[in-house]
C-alpha cells in the first residue's frame, strides 16, 4: 500500500485550505505549517504546527526538532507543498518598506528552500519524494509594482530547475503556477491603488467576468499533477497548460 504523507505550508486559507481539505478527503496524512491553526473540522489525519515562516531563525530551530522526521516516518510517498506566500510589498521600488521586503523574501523564498532541503534529507527512507513549489505567472512575467513578488516566485522556478540538475532519482520537484484563483490575495490585489499597481484593472476584469478559478478546482489540478507519473518531467509548469 502506498502511504502518502504531505507537508503543506499556509494550509489555513485560500489554495492551502483547499489543498488540505482535498488531501484529507483522499486519506492523505497532512502536516500543516502556518501562523495559525485551521478553523475547519478536526481530522485525525491532520497535524498542525503554528509557526511564523517569515522568521527564518524560528523555522531553522523547528527543523532541528524531530517533528518533521517523526511525521515522515513510514511514508512511501513524501509530498512537500510550499504554498505559503505573500504579495506585499506592492509599489515602485522607492516606496517599498525594507522590512516588508525582508519578510516577503523569508516567506516566499527562504522558507520553501529550507523546508525542501530538510524534507529531502529527512525522507531518505521514502522511495518517492516530491516537492511542489506554488509559483505564479508573476515569476515568469514581470509586472509593474510587483518587483518583490515577481522576483521571489522566479526564485522558486529557478530553484526547481537547478535541483532537477542534481539528478536525484528518488526526488522529483516542480514549480507549479496554479492559475488565477479567487482568494484573499486576489481581493488584496483589487484593493491596491493604481499608483502602486497599474495593472490592477486587468484583475478587476477577471473577477467581473468570472474568469477566476475556485480554490477547490485549482487544488484538484495541483494535487492530481503532483501525484501523477509525469510530475517532475518539467521543472516549471502552469496548470492551465496541463491536459
Amino acid at each position: 500500500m502506498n502511504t502518502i504523507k504531505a507537508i503543506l505550508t499556509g494550509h489555513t486559507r485560500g489554495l492551502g485550505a483547499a489543498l488540505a481539505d482535498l488531501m484529507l478527503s483522499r486519506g492523505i496524512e497532512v502536516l500543516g505549517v502556518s501562523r495559525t491553526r485551521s478553523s475547519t473540522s478536526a481530522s485525525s489525519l491532520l497535524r498542525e504546527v503554528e509557526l511564523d515562516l517569515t522568521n527564518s531563525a524560528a523555522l531553522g530551530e523547528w527543523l532541528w526538532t524531530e517533528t518533521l522526521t517523526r511525521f515522515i516516518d513510514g511514508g512511501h510517498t513524501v509530498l512537500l507543498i510550499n504554498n505559503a506566500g505573500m504579495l506585499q510589498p506592492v509599489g515602485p521600488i522607492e516606496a517599498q518598506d525594507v522590512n516588508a521586503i525582508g519578510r516577503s523574501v523569508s516567506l516566499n523564498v527562504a522558507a520553501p528552500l529550507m523546508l525542501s532541503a530538510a524534507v529531502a534529507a529527512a525522507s531518505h527512507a521514502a522511495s518517492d519524494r516530491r516537492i511542489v513549489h506554488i509559483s505564479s505567472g508573476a515569476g515568469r512575467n514581470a509586472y509593474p509594482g510587483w518587483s518583490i513578488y515577481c522576483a521571489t516566485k522566479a526564485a522558486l522556478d529557478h530553484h526547481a530547475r537547478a535541483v532537477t540538475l542534481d539528478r536525484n532519482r528518488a526526488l522529483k520537484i516542480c514549480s507549479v503556477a496554479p492559475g488565477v484563483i479567487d482568494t484573499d490575495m486576489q481581493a488584496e490585489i483589487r484593493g491596491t491603488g493604481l499608483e502602486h499597481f497599474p495593472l490592477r484593472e486587468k484583475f478587476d476584469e477577471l473577477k467581473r467576468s468570472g474568469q477566476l478559478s475556485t480554490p477547490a478546482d485549482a487544488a484538484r489540478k495541483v494535487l492530481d499533477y503532483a501525484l501523477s507519473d509525469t510530475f517532475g518531467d518539467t521543472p516549471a509548469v502552469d496548470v492551465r497548460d496541463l491536459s
Side-chain angles (χ1 to χ4, degrees):
M1 180 179 178
N2 182 7
T3 301
I4 303 173
K5 296 196 174 186
I7 302 96
L8 171 65
T9 64
H11 69 291
T12 62
R13 299 171 58 192
L15 176 61
L19 281 165
D21 288 344
L22 180 61
M23 287 191 287
L24 294 172
S25 73
R26 294 185 182 184
I28 297 173
E29 292 186 56
V30 176
L31 176 64
V33 184
S34 183
R35 287 180 300 172
T36 58
R37 290 182 175 270
S38 173
S39 60
T40 59
S41 57
S43 168
S44 61
L45 295 175
L46 175 63
R47 305 179 194 179
E48 297 183 276
V49 173
E50 292 184 64
L51 186 63
D52 183 357
L53 293 174
T54 67
N55 187 335
S56 297
L59 173 58
E61 290 177 6
W62 177 73
L63 289 173
W64 275 107
T65 71
E66 296 182 356
T67 305
L68 184 66
T69 304
R70 287 198 301 266
F71 174 77
I72 287 173
D73 187 44
H76 175 272
T77 295
V78 173
L79 174 65
L80 168 65
I81 304 181
N82 288 308
N83 166 73
M86 64 186 297
L87 180 66
Q88 297 296 331
V90 173
I93 186 170
E94 67 274 12
Q96 294 170 2
D97 179 86
V98 294
N99 291 316
I101 293 172
R103 289 191 296 272
S104 182
V105 173
S106 294
L107 178 62
N108 292 1
V109 182
L113 271 54
M114 292 169 70
L115 284 161
S116 295
V119 166
S123 59
H124 60 277
S127 59
D128 183 17
R129 301 174 237 170
R130 301 176 181 227
I131 297 172
V132 180
H133 292 326
I134 298 298
S135 185
S136 169
R140 299 155 199 184
N141 300 282
Y143 294 146
W146 280 14
S147 58
I148 303 303
Y149 189 67
C150 289
T152 56
K153 291 302 183 181
L156 296 183
D157 290 354
H158 220 44
H159 179 258
R161 295 184 185 106
V163 170
T164 298
L165 297 178
D166 291 338
R167 302 190 183 283
N168 184 331
R169 294 185 179 181
L171 177 67
K172 298 179 179 180
I173 187 171
C174 185
S175 194
V176 181
V180 188
I181 311 168
D182 197 2
T183 62
D184 290 346
M185 183 177 286
Q186 280 297 310
E188 182 182 350
I189 291 169
R190 294 191 300 273
T192 304
L194 288 173
E195 69 277 11
H196 291 291
F197 184 47
L199 297 181
R200 189 198 72 196
E201 292 176 341
K202 169 186 175 181
F203 291 86
D204 290 339
E205 178 57 28
L206 290 174
K207 176 66 172 179
R208 284 195 299 267
S209 59
Q211 296 184 56
L212 300 179
S213 298
T214 65
D217 186 52
R220 178 185 56 78
K221 291 178 181 178
V222 169
L223 185 61
D224 286 350
Y225 177 63
L227 297 177
S228 71
D229 292 338
T230 58
F231 177 79
D233 289 353
T234 303
V237 302
D238 189 309
V239 295
R240 292 169 292 189
D241 297 330
L242 300 173
S243 56

